[in-house]
Amino acid sequence: MILARKIIIALAIIACIGQAAYSQIRHSFFNNYTIRDGLTDNIIHCIHQDNEGWIWMGTSFGVIRFDGYNFKVFRNDPANQNSISDNSVWALREDKKGNIWIGTKSGGVSKYNPVTGIFKNIVSNHQIKNPLIINPELFHILYSYSSCLLSSY
């Protein structure tokens, strides 16, 4: 009888511990977004969250800014010098002033100023005359508070 009581008490303790452990589990929810929701492509080459909380995504068809509800797409407009230099975006980084640096596959580098909403094309295929700049394909942007490094493969 004493052994049965000890077993029942042990099972009750295990059940309580198991219930307490189960109540600690956090459930995560994910939303899946596609072209139907406003993405320009289902393949994202790079992603960055800026200091304001915006999610920036680089695709082969432009750069996308997401606020958690809506997508804003930025694409190259050859008639507008204040648009992004190329649609194929492979690198995104934010500097200490809040500007978004954008590396593209064949258009060089663009810098987006969130205050003015204007892109400034720093290096583009048309400007590459410097022998030190061999490859206009930019795939990495490393930024620290003292310097910025742009690199390609």
Side-chain angles (χ1 to χ4, degrees), residues 11 15 29 39 75 82 84 90 95 123:
L11 290 174
F29 297 97
L39 291 176
R75 288 192 174 107
N82 293 323
I84 191 170
W90 287 81
D95 65 21
V123 179

Side-chain angles (χ1 to χ4, degrees), residues 4-43:
R5 179 176 261 185
K6 288 181 180 181
I7 292 174
I8 291 173
I9 292 173
L11 290 174
I13 290 172
I14 291 171
C16 290
I17 292 172
Q19 181 63 27
Y22 178 76
S23 66
Q24 300 287 328
I25 296 173
R26 292 186 179 173
H27 298 283
S28 298
F29 297 97
F30 295 91
N31 291 325
N32 184 25
Y33 296 102
T34 66
I35 293 171
R36 285 176 267 149
D37 301 303
L39 291 176
T40 59
D41 193 358
N42 285 330
I43 298 172

Side-chain angles (χ1 to χ4, degrees), residues 95-96 142-149:
D95 65 21
K96 64 183 176 184
L142 303 174
Y143 183 82
S144 71
Y145 282 95
S146 60
S147 62
C148 182
L149 171 67

Side-chain angles (χ1 to χ4, degrees), residues 27 31 34 38 41-42 64 69 76 78 88 94 104-105 125 131:
H27 298 283
N31 291 325
T34 66
D41 193 358
N42 285 330
I64 304 164
Y69 302 100
N76 173 262
S88 187
E94 181 179 14
T104 67
K105 182 163 173 42
N125 274 349

Side-chain angles (χ1 to χ4, degrees), residues 59-76:
T59 72
S60 293
F61 301 101
V63 65
I64 304 164
R65 185 180 68 194
F66 183 57
D67 65 4
Y69 302 100
N70 300 302
F71 296 97
K72 169 119 174 105
V73 178
F74 300 95
R75 288 192 174 107
N76 173 262

